[in-house]
Amino acid sequence: MPNPKSMKRVLVGVGGGIAAYKVCELISTLFKSGVEVRVIVTSTAQEFITPLTLATLSRHQAYTDEDFWQAKYSRPLHIELGEWADLFVIAPLTANTLAKLAHGMADNLLTNTVLASTCPVLLAPAMNTEMWEQLTVQRNWRDLLTDSRYHGMSTASGLLACDRVGAGRMAEPPEIFAYVKSLLHTAGKRDLIGKRVLISAGGTREHLDPVRFIGNPSTGKMGLALAQAALHRGANVTLVHGLASWNAPLGVQAISVISAMEMQQVMLEYLPNADVIIMSAAVADVKPRDYSLEKLPKRSLPQDLPLEPVPDIIAQLARQKQPHQKIIGFAAQNGDIVKPALEKLQKKKLDAIVANPIDQPDSGFGSDNNKAIFLDNQGRIMVIEPCSKLEMAHHLFDFI
């Protein structure tokens, strides 16, 4: 177990909606990641999930309004909890609780604790589509988010518990968990508000015919983490990615491509409006010279496959960038990772580069974790010890 003195402390407020069951996964994941968790469960939430379940998953008593109105604590409970928390998460956020927060009302333990705290508050709304789209609800949502303490997650669209198909689904627990980890890193700062961040991710495929291609094992997880980190820090994010097994975060404009040529076209299209461009994609270096519209019979496959180079996307971006723009590249290497990264940084005239090893355990392609050395064109060097890719993404934004 982590050292209790170094553990981050997250207070989870559970609102009264059917999505309350999803919070169980979030609480369990937080605890397993080394976060200390406390839970407040509203009276209406107890119609959907029991305090016992939440207490079992958090390994601590789950607090209810009954606890709030009893004088069995040495200090007022809402004051104690408000001062204890590094981060407050409210999920699901109901229309009722949203209205109370937007108008500074406090009539239960949850809302009193919000007003008694100063930490960042992450909100994950969930409600029926008609409820979510009401003008009064949307006005409350906009008004609340004008307070820099509050960080709002987008609702997803899909089949709701009422059988309605539309907006209003609560963000999934893994997405909430990622946002929590971001806010614990940044302490809620939004240093990318007003910035447009353009990110490439994943591998490209250069086809010989409809089923055969030259590719690489990149999964795009690093680019996904960069998109999450930028979004959580307030940026407007466009993510251009190869084929992926994951979904882009809610609130990110995601554009799927296959070949280097397609990625080049999209990146150049979005370049003029971007402030920060991060080329984390593993773009192919070469492609088959000839392409067959139909699958080639095995007997017709060439013994020697003629190849030709694909566009050098990052070099083109660097040539066209404006003085206010920053372009960051990646260099996945084995052996000495610094020398080739420095050469790429200088040759392609980048602002910074991330050198990361592909021949070490738990780093590189497909891994959930990574390690790296950051270098920039001012001669700065930062060594990043093994950490999650989301943590590395935040370290990179801190660096640049």
Side-chain angles (χ1 to χ4, degrees):
M1 292 293 293
N3 182 348
K5 293 183 179 180
S6 66
M7 292 174 69
K8 294 292 187 179
R9 297 174 295 194
V10 175
L11 181 60
V12 179
V14 185
I18 187 62
Y21 79 92
K22 292 185 178 180
V23 181
C24 294
E25 180 183 343
L26 174 64
I27 292 169
S28 178
T29 304
L30 285 169
F31 179 83
K32 291 175 183 177
S33 73
V35 171
E36 192 173 359
V37 187
R38 299 286 183 271
V39 182
I40 295 173
V41 53
T42 65
S43 58
T44 50
Q46 292 177 65
E47 300 294 326
F48 298 93
I49 190 168
T50 68
L52 176 60
T53 298
L54 300 170
T56 302
L57 294 172
S58 64
R59 276 63 162 188
H60 194 277
Q61 174 189 355
Y63 298 103
T64 68
D65 284 342
E66 184 178 343
D67 299 307
F68 183 40
W69 302 119
Q70 291 183 8
K72 61 180 181 180
Y73 300 95
S74 58
R75 300 179 69 212
L77 182 57
H78 63 299
I79 304 296
E80 191 75 32
L81 290 172
E83 293 178 353
W84 174 87
D86 295 315
L87 174 66
F88 203 154
V89 180
I90 302 179
L93 174 70
T94 63
N96 186 45
T97 298
L98 170 60
K100 292 176 184 179
L101 296 179
H103 294 88
M105 297 173 62
D107 64 351
N108 60 9
L109 176 58
L110 175 61
T111 50
N112 272 275
T113 306
V114 172
L115 295 187
S117 64
T118 59
C119 64
V121 182
L122 178 60
L123 306 169
M127 61 194 78
N128 165 270
T129 302
E130 277 72 23
M131 295 174 68
W132 175 242
E133 293 178 349
Q134 288 290 330
L135 292 178
T136 51
V137 172
Q138 287 300 304
R139 182 168 59 246
N140 287 339
W141 181 243
R142 289 192 301 270
D143 290 348
L144 189 58
L145 294 183
T146 61
D147 185 335
S148 61
R149 276 192 71 198
Y150 294 97
H151 300 256
M153 300 196 70
S154 300
T155 61
S157 294
L159 179 64
L160 307 181
C162 59
D163 291 332
R164 173 76 154 82
V165 177
R169 286 175 61 93
M170 189 176 81
E172 294 301 317
E175 197 162 348
I176 302 175
F177 175 73
Y179 212 138
V180 167
K181 298 299 284 185
S182 288
L183 292 175
L184 291 176
H185 178 93
T186 65
K189 69 181 178 183
R190 291 187 179 97
D191 50 1
L192 293 179
I193 278 187
K195 300 294 184 183
R196 294 182 179 272
V197 178
L198 175 62
I199 301 167
S200 72
T204 60
R205 294 183 175 187
E206 309 303 328
H207 279 264
L208 171 64
D209 63 20
V211 297
R212 300 182 181 94
F213 59 87
I214 297 174
N216 59 64
S218 174
T219 60
K221 288 182 179 180
M222 189 67 239
L224 171 63
L226 287 162
Q228 290 173 321
L231 178 71
H232 299 161
R233 293 170 84 132
N236 184 306
V237 184
T238 300
L239 178 62
V240 183
H241 64 87
L243 297 176
S245 59
W246 40 260
N247 294 319
L250 296 172
V252 167
Q253 180 182 13
I255 303 170
S256 178
V257 298
I258 296 176
S259 69
M261 184 69 73
E262 291 176 357
M263 182 171 285
Q264 175 197 39
Q265 291 171 349
V266 177
M267 294 295 289
L268 289 173
E269 177 185 349
Y270 282 85
L271 173 65
N273 293 323
D275 298 293
V276 178
I277 303 95
I278 305 178
M279 196 74 190
S280 69
V283 182
D285 296 305
V286 295
K287 66 177 182 179
R289 187 186 65 195
D290 303 311
Y291 174 72
S292 171
L293 293 174
E294 297 181 352
K295 180 185 176 183
L296 293 169
K298 187 174 181 179
R299 64 180 180 276
S300 299
L301 291 174
Q303 295 299 309
D304 297 310
L305 182 62
L307 301 173
E308 62 183 19
V310 302
D312 190 337
I313 301 175
I314 196 166
Q316 283 188 299
L317 296 172
R319 284 195 296 269
Q320 297 185 29
K321 89 177 187 80
Q322 300 300 310
H324 74 279
Q325 295 177 310
K326 288 183 180 293
I327 295 188
I328 296 89
F330 271 67
Q333 302 287 343
N334 50 23
D336 178 7
I337 65 173
V338 173
K339 183 179 178 180
L342 273 174
E343 291 174 351
K344 183 175 180 179
L345 173 73
Q346 295 162 359
K347 180 180 179 181
K348 299 183 188 291
K349 296 181 171 53
L350 308 179
D351 294 286
I353 195 163
V354 177
N356 63 293
I358 57 173
D359 57 352
Q360 296 183 25
D362 209 20
S363 67
F365 296 135
S367 172
D368 292 328
N369 300 311
N370 214 344
K371 62 179 83 172
I373 299 175
F374 300 162
L375 309 103
D376 73 3
N377 57 8
Q378 304 300 312
R380 292 189 304 147
I381 299 177
M382 179 183 289
V383 177
I384 305 299
E385 299 298 335
C387 61
S388 72
K389 288 185 172 177
L390 181 60
E391 290 176 282
M392 178 164 290
H394 281 294
H395 287 313
L396 181 58
F397 284 116
D398 292 340
F399 183 72
I400 65 175

